[in-house]
Amino acid sequence: MKDYLKFYIDGQWVDPVEKKTLDVINPATEEPFARISMGSAKDVDKAVAAAKAAFPKFSTTTKQERIELLQSIMAVYQKRYAEIAAAITEEMGAPQKLSQHAQAAMGIAHLNTNLEILKTYEFEEDKGPTRILREPVGVCAFITPWNWPINQITCKVAPALAVGCTMVLKPSEVAPINAYIFAEVLHEAGVPKGVFNLINGDGPGVGSPLSAHADVDMVSFTGSTRAGILVSKAAADTVKRVALELGGKSANIVLDDADFNKAVTGSVFGMMSNSGQSCNAPSRMLVPASRQDEVIQIAKAAAENVKAGDPNAEGTTIGPVVSEVQFNKIQGLIQKGIEEGATLVTGGPGRPEGVNKGYYVRPTIFANVTNDMTIAREEIFGPVMAILPYKDEEDAVRIANDTVYGLSGYVQGEPEHARKVASRLRTGNVHLNLAGPDLNAPFGGYKQSGNGREWGEFGFEEFLEVKAVLGYNAA
């Protein structure tokens, strides 16, 4: 057991106001491996006060000073890279290769993307006699999840630092160690005191008072739609800016002119990656009804090549899901799929064969799913895919859009055909033919998948206020 009991406030590691601890569980072993302190509203007050005091000076730093700061952060991050990846494997169960090549890699990628944007970004422009200024929004509160932890931290912290904001971060208490290391990175890199502050804790104890705090100018939250609604309500009384990246139930339309072997196999591996714990996972695969039997055979073969096991072992495709709470929720939804009449193609309830410890879920595929079934409506957040047959293209688009979510979508088929279908989906992202992520593209959702955008220049500008100075260029 290692202790991480201090908070990072005003440039130093300090004890919490009230002593209360939480064990951090390794989901592969179900054993605690670390302890953190759980914060309170009193810690929030201290951290917000530090960020507020730091804002006047940091907000007026030059572009060059912030460029050099981001470069310094990247250099220190690279030194701690292996530790960050190892922490993510231990606290949320991602296989080593995924932690090293995707999870930890996203942190450095967001830092670099925002550095490059900052180098050329124009914070002032003229519109006739008026000068338009883009200025940092102020003190920001960041509440981040456990599924892609350092990705979600850096896609908020990097642009906020780049434009001159100060901030308080509350990472997920389920996977908090990577954030602790990241705070050490920022300290060593020379981030001025008070600019970045870290408090551990849960939603009621830290998230709510942080969202409601009168001296917080913006709150950026990533997590479930249910929790995002609570954040919005807490923030409403002070009319602060709220950016939300929430749940998803992404449709994956396989058109009749797609390469079915490639499309279905790739979709299964995409769905199962990170143990299905991605808000933009392609969880509803829509296929022509006349070809569903063919799809079932391909999907079954692909899923049975997904090996759930020890995240530190060679050959593991997916690790455990993050916690007992998640494991039980996923098991309940798998059982619900069976009870509601979906066809279980492979997988099902319980742990994978030969596994008797750890929060491991069998890679599971259902077919003959209708869009009114629970497994087609609710975000499962586990390695569970639903295959839904459609009659024709109109039916596919209708089913795809028949959801309260709108974070991502997928269309596979002949490129021009796929582009036309993509234009009809009510989602913030659409991946054509399993296109990978683009860090310069905006990431965010329609409907109950949130508001605002992260990543690239769109994410950068979320942290800017716009001021018009009239008469600036008057003759």
Coordinates of all heavy atoms in Angstrom, one line a residue, residues 8-12 43-60 136-142 160-161 164-169 191-199 210 213-218:
Y8 N -2.6 19.0 -3.8 CA -1.6 20.0 -4.3 C -2.4 21.4 -4.4 O -3.3 21.5 -5.3 CB -1.1 19.6 -5.7 CG -0.1 20.5 -6.3 CD1 1.2 20.5 -5.7 CD2 -0.4 21.3 -7.4 CE1 2.2 21.3 -6.3 CE2 0.6 22.1 -7.9 CZ 1.9 22.1 -7.3 OH 2.9 23.0 -7.9
I9 N -2.1 22.3 -3.5 CA -2.8 23.6 -3.5 C -1.8 24.7 -3.4 O -0.9 24.6 -2.5 CB -3.8 23.6 -2.3 CG1 -4.9 22.5 -2.5 CG2 -4.4 25.0 -2.2 CD1 -5.9 22.4 -1.4
D10 N -1.9 25.7 -4.2 CA -1.0 26.9 -4.2 C 0.5 26.5 -4.3 O 1.3 27.1 -3.6 CB -1.3 27.7 -2.9 CG -1.0 29.2 -3.1 OD1 -0.9 29.6 -4.3 OD2 -0.7 29.8 -2.1
G11 N 0.8 25.5 -5.1 CA 2.2 25.2 -5.4 C 2.8 24.3 -4.4 O 4.1 24.1 -4.4
Q12 N 2.1 23.7 -3.4 CA 2.7 22.8 -2.5 C 1.7 21.7 -2.1 O 0.5 21.8 -2.3 CB 3.1 23.6 -1.2 CG 2.1 24.4 -0.6 CD 2.6 25.3 0.5 OE1 3.6 25.0 1.2 NE2 2.0 26.5 0.7
D43 N -11.6 22.2 1.6 CA -10.4 22.0 0.7 C -10.7 22.8 -0.6 O -9.8 23.4 -1.2 CB -10.1 20.6 0.4 CG -9.8 19.8 1.7 OD1 -8.8 20.2 2.3 OD2 -10.6 18.9 2.0
V44 N -12.0 22.6 -1.1 CA -12.4 23.4 -2.3 C -12.2 24.9 -2.2 O -11.6 25.5 -3.0 CB -13.8 23.0 -2.7 CG1 -14.3 23.9 -3.8 CG2 -14.0 21.6 -3.1
D45 N -12.6 25.4 -1.1 CA -12.4 26.8 -0.8 C -10.9 27.2 -0.9 O -10.6 28.3 -1.5 CB -13.0 27.2 0.6 CG -14.5 27.2 0.6 OD1 -15.1 27.2 -0.5 OD2 -15.1 27.1 1.7
K46 N -10.1 26.4 -0.3 CA -8.6 26.8 -0.3 C -8.1 26.7 -1.7 O -7.3 27.6 -2.1 CB -7.9 25.8 0.6 CG -8.0 26.0 2.1 CD -7.4 24.8 2.9 CE -5.9 24.9 2.7 NZ -5.2 23.8 3.5
A47 N -8.4 25.7 -2.5 CA -7.9 25.5 -3.8 C -8.4 26.6 -4.8 O -7.7 27.1 -5.6 CB -8.3 24.1 -4.4
V48 N -9.7 26.9 -4.7 CA -10.3 28.0 -5.5 C -9.7 29.3 -5.2 O -9.4 30.1 -6.1 CB -11.8 28.0 -5.4 CG1 -12.4 29.2 -6.1 CG2 -12.4 26.7 -6.0
A49 N -9.5 29.6 -3.9 CA -8.8 30.8 -3.5 C -7.4 31.0 -4.1 O -7.0 32.0 -4.5 CB -8.8 30.9 -2.0
A50 N -6.7 29.9 -4.1 CA -5.3 29.9 -4.7 C -5.4 30.1 -6.2 O -4.6 30.9 -6.7 CB -4.7 28.5 -4.4
A51 N -6.4 29.5 -6.9 CA -6.5 29.7 -8.3 C -6.9 31.1 -8.6 O -6.4 31.8 -9.6 CB -7.5 28.7 -8.9
K52 N -7.8 31.7 -7.8 CA -8.3 33.0 -8.0 C -7.2 34.0 -7.8 O -7.0 35.0 -8.6 CB -9.5 33.3 -7.0 CG -10.1 34.7 -7.2 CD -11.2 34.9 -6.2 CE -11.8 36.3 -6.4 NZ -12.9 36.6 -5.4
A53 N -6.3 33.8 -6.8 CA -5.2 34.7 -6.5 C -4.2 34.7 -7.6 O -3.5 35.7 -7.9 CB -4.6 34.4 -5.2
A54 N -4.0 33.5 -8.2 CA -3.0 33.3 -9.3 C -3.4 33.9 -10.6 O -2.6 34.2 -11.5 CB -2.6 31.9 -9.4
F55 N -4.8 34.0 -10.8 CA -5.3 34.4 -12.1 C -4.8 35.7 -12.7 O -4.4 35.8 -13.8 CB -6.8 34.3 -12.2 CG -7.4 34.6 -13.5 CD1 -7.3 33.8 -14.6 CD2 -8.0 35.9 -13.7 CE1 -7.8 34.1 -15.8 CE2 -8.5 36.2 -15.0 CZ -8.4 35.3 -16.0
P56 N -4.8 36.8 -11.9 CA -4.5 38.1 -12.5 C -3.1 38.1 -13.2 O -2.9 38.6 -14.2 CB -4.5 39.1 -11.3 CG -5.5 38.5 -10.4 CD -5.3 37.0 -10.5
K57 N -2.1 37.5 -12.5 CA -0.7 37.4 -13.1 C -0.6 36.5 -14.2 O -0.1 36.8 -15.3 CB 0.3 37.1 -11.9 CG 1.7 37.2 -12.4 CD 2.7 37.0 -11.3 CE 4.1 37.1 -11.8 NZ 5.1 36.8 -10.7
F58 N -1.2 35.2 -14.0 CA -1.0 34.2 -15.0 C -1.7 34.6 -16.3 O -1.3 34.3 -17.4 CB -1.4 32.8 -14.5 CG -1.1 31.7 -15.5 CD1 0.3 31.4 -15.7 CD2 -2.1 31.0 -16.1 CE1 0.6 30.4 -16.6 CE2 -1.7 30.0 -17.0 CZ -0.4 29.7 -17.2
S59 N -2.9 35.2 -16.2 CA -3.7 35.6 -17.3 C -3.0 36.6 -18.2 O -3.4 36.8 -19.4 CB -5.1 36.0 -16.9 OG -5.0 37.2 -16.2
T60 N -2.0 37.3 -17.7 CA -1.3 38.4 -18.5 C 0.0 37.9 -18.9 O 0.8 38.7 -19.4 CB -1.3 39.7 -17.7 OG1 -0.6 39.4 -16.4 CG2 -2.6 40.2 -17.4
P136 N -8.7 34.8 -21.4 CA -8.9 33.6 -20.6 C -10.2 33.7 -19.8 O -10.5 34.8 -19.2 CB -7.7 33.4 -19.7 CG -7.0 34.7 -19.8 CD -7.4 35.4 -21.1
V137 N -11.0 32.6 -19.7 CA -12.3 32.7 -19.0 C -12.2 32.9 -17.5 O -13.1 33.4 -16.9 CB -13.1 31.4 -19.4 CG1 -12.5 30.2 -18.7 CG2 -14.6 31.5 -19.1
G138 N -11.1 32.4 -16.9 CA -10.9 32.7 -15.5 C -10.5 31.4 -14.8 O -9.7 30.6 -15.2
V139 N -11.1 31.2 -13.6 CA -10.8 30.0 -12.8 C -11.7 28.9 -13.2 O -12.9 29.0 -13.3 CB -11.1 30.3 -11.3 CG1 -11.0 29.1 -10.4 CG2 -10.2 31.4 -10.7
C140 N -11.1 27.8 -13.6 CA -11.8 26.6 -14.1 C -11.8 25.5 -13.1 O -10.8 25.2 -12.4 CB -11.1 26.1 -15.4 SG -11.0 27.4 -16.7
A141 N -12.9 24.8 -13.0 CA -13.0 23.5 -12.3 C -13.1 22.4 -13.2 O -13.9 22.4 -14.1 CB -14.3 23.6 -11.4
F142 N -12.3 21.4 -13.0 CA -12.2 20.2 -13.9 C -12.6 18.9 -13.1 O -12.0 18.7 -12.1 CB -10.8 20.0 -14.5 CG -10.4 21.1 -15.4 CD1 -9.1 21.5 -15.5 CD2 -11.3 21.8 -16.2 CE1 -8.6 22.5 -16.3 CE2 -10.9 22.9 -17.0 CZ -9.6 23.2 -17.1
A160 N -6.4 25.1 -21.2 CA -6.6 26.1 -20.1 C -5.3 26.8 -19.8 O -5.2 28.0 -19.7 CB -7.2 25.4 -18.9
L161 N -4.2 26.0 -19.6 CA -2.9 26.6 -19.4 C -2.4 27.4 -20.6 O -1.9 28.5 -20.5 CB -1.8 25.5 -19.1 CG -1.9 24.8 -17.8 CD1 -0.9 23.7 -17.8 CD2 -1.6 25.8 -16.6
G164 N -4.1 30.8 -20.5 CA -3.9 31.7 -19.4 C -4.9 31.5 -18.3 O -5.0 32.4 -17.4
C165 N -5.6 30.4 -18.2 CA -6.6 30.2 -17.1 C -5.8 29.5 -15.9 O -4.8 29.0 -16.1 CB -7.7 29.2 -17.6 SG -8.8 29.9 -18.8
T166 N -6.5 29.6 -14.8 CA -6.0 28.9 -13.6 C -7.1 27.8 -13.3 O -8.2 27.9 -13.8 CB -5.8 29.8 -12.4 OG1 -7.0 30.5 -12.1 CG2 -4.7 30.8 -12.7
M167 N -6.8 26.8 -12.4 CA -7.7 25.7 -12.4 C -7.6 24.9 -11.1 O -6.5 24.9 -10.4 CB -7.4 24.8 -13.6 CG -6.0 24.2 -13.6 SD -5.4 23.9 -15.3 CE -5.0 25.6 -15.8
V168 N -8.7 24.1 -10.8 CA -8.7 23.1 -9.8 C -9.2 21.8 -10.4 O -10.3 21.8 -11.1 CB -9.7 23.5 -8.6 CG1 -9.7 22.5 -7.6 CG2 -9.3 24.9 -8.0
L169 N -8.4 20.8 -10.2 CA -8.8 19.5 -10.8 C -9.3 18.5 -9.7 O -8.6 18.4 -8.7 CB -7.6 18.8 -11.5 CG -7.7 17.4 -11.9 CD1 -8.7 17.2 -13.0 CD2 -6.3 16.8 -12.3
V191 N 5.1 25.2 -13.3 CA 3.8 25.9 -13.3 C 3.7 26.8 -12.1 O 3.9 26.3 -11.0 CB 2.7 24.9 -13.4 CG1 1.3 25.6 -13.2 CG2 2.7 24.1 -14.7
P192 N 3.4 28.1 -12.3 CA 3.4 29.0 -11.1 C 2.4 28.5 -10.0 O 1.4 27.9 -10.3 CB 3.0 30.3 -11.7 CG 3.4 30.2 -13.2 CD 3.2 28.8 -13.5
K193 N 2.7 28.9 -8.8 CA 1.9 28.4 -7.7 C 0.5 29.0 -7.8 O 0.3 30.1 -8.3 CB 2.5 28.8 -6.3 CG 2.5 30.3 -6.0 CD 2.9 30.5 -4.6 CE 2.7 32.0 -4.2 NZ 2.9 32.2 -2.7
G194 N -0.5 28.2 -7.5 CA -1.9 28.5 -7.6 C -2.5 28.3 -9.0 O -3.8 28.3 -9.1
V195 N -1.7 28.2 -10.0 CA -2.3 28.1 -11.4 C -3.0 26.7 -11.5 O -4.1 26.6 -12.1 CB -1.2 28.2 -12.4 CG1 -1.7 27.9 -13.8 CG2 -0.7 29.7 -12.4
F196 N -2.4 25.7 -11.0 CA -3.0 24.3 -11.0 C -3.1 23.8 -9.6 O -2.1 23.8 -8.9 CB -2.1 23.4 -11.9 CG -2.6 21.9 -11.8 CD1 -3.5 21.4 -12.7 CD2 -2.0 21.1 -10.9 CE1 -4.0 20.1 -12.6 CE2 -2.4 19.7 -10.8 CZ -3.4 19.3 -11.6
N197 N -4.3 23.3 -9.3 CA -4.5 22.7 -7.9 C -5.2 21.4 -8.1 O -6.1 21.2 -9.0 CB -5.4 23.7 -7.1 CG -4.7 25.1 -7.0 OD1 -3.9 25.4 -6.2 ND2 -5.1 26.0 -8.0
L198 N -4.9 20.5 -7.2 CA -5.5 19.1 -7.2 C -6.1 18.7 -5.9 O -5.4 18.8 -4.9 CB -4.4 18.1 -7.6 CG -4.7 16.6 -7.4 CD1 -5.7 16.1 -8.5 CD2 -3.5 15.7 -7.4
I199 N -7.4 18.3 -5.9 CA -8.0 17.8 -4.7 C -8.6 16.5 -5.1 O -9.4 16.4 -6.1 CB -9.2 18.7 -4.2 CG1 -8.7 20.1 -4.1 CG2 -9.7 18.2 -2.9 CD1 -9.9 21.1 -3.7
L210 N -17.4 22.3 -5.8 CA -16.6 22.9 -6.8 C -17.4 23.5 -8.0 O -17.2 24.6 -8.4 CB -15.6 21.8 -7.4 CG -14.4 22.2 -8.2 CD1 -13.5 23.3 -7.5 CD2 -13.6 21.0 -8.5
H213 N -19.2 26.7 -6.7 CA -18.4 27.8 -6.1 C -18.5 29.1 -6.9 O -18.4 29.2 -8.1 CB -17.0 27.3 -6.0 CG -16.2 28.0 -5.0 ND1 -15.9 29.4 -5.0 CD2 -15.7 27.6 -3.8 CE1 -15.2 29.7 -3.9 NE2 -15.1 28.6 -3.1
A214 N -18.8 30.2 -6.1 CA -19.0 31.5 -6.7 C -17.8 32.0 -7.4 O -17.9 32.9 -8.3 CB -19.5 32.5 -5.7
D215 N -16.6 31.6 -7.0 CA -15.4 32.1 -7.6 C -14.8 31.2 -8.7 O -13.7 31.5 -9.2 CB -14.3 32.3 -6.5 CG -14.6 33.4 -5.6 OD1 -15.3 34.4 -6.0 OD2 -14.2 33.4 -4.4
V216 N -15.6 30.2 -9.1 CA -15.2 29.4 -10.3 C -16.0 30.0 -11.5 O -17.2 30.2 -11.5 CB -15.6 27.9 -10.1 CG1 -15.6 27.1 -11.4 CG2 -14.7 27.3 -9.1
D217 N -15.3 30.3 -12.6 CA -15.9 30.9 -13.8 C -16.3 29.9 -14.8 O -17.2 30.2 -15.6 CB -14.8 31.8 -14.4 CG -14.4 32.9 -13.5 OD1 -15.2 33.8 -13.1 OD2 -13.2 32.9 -13.0
M218 N -15.8 28.7 -14.7 CA -16.2 27.7 -15.7 C -16.0 26.3 -15.1 O -15.0 26.1 -14.3 CB -15.3 27.8 -17.0 CG -15.5 26.6 -18.0 SD -14.4 26.8 -19.4 CE -14.9 25.4 -20.3

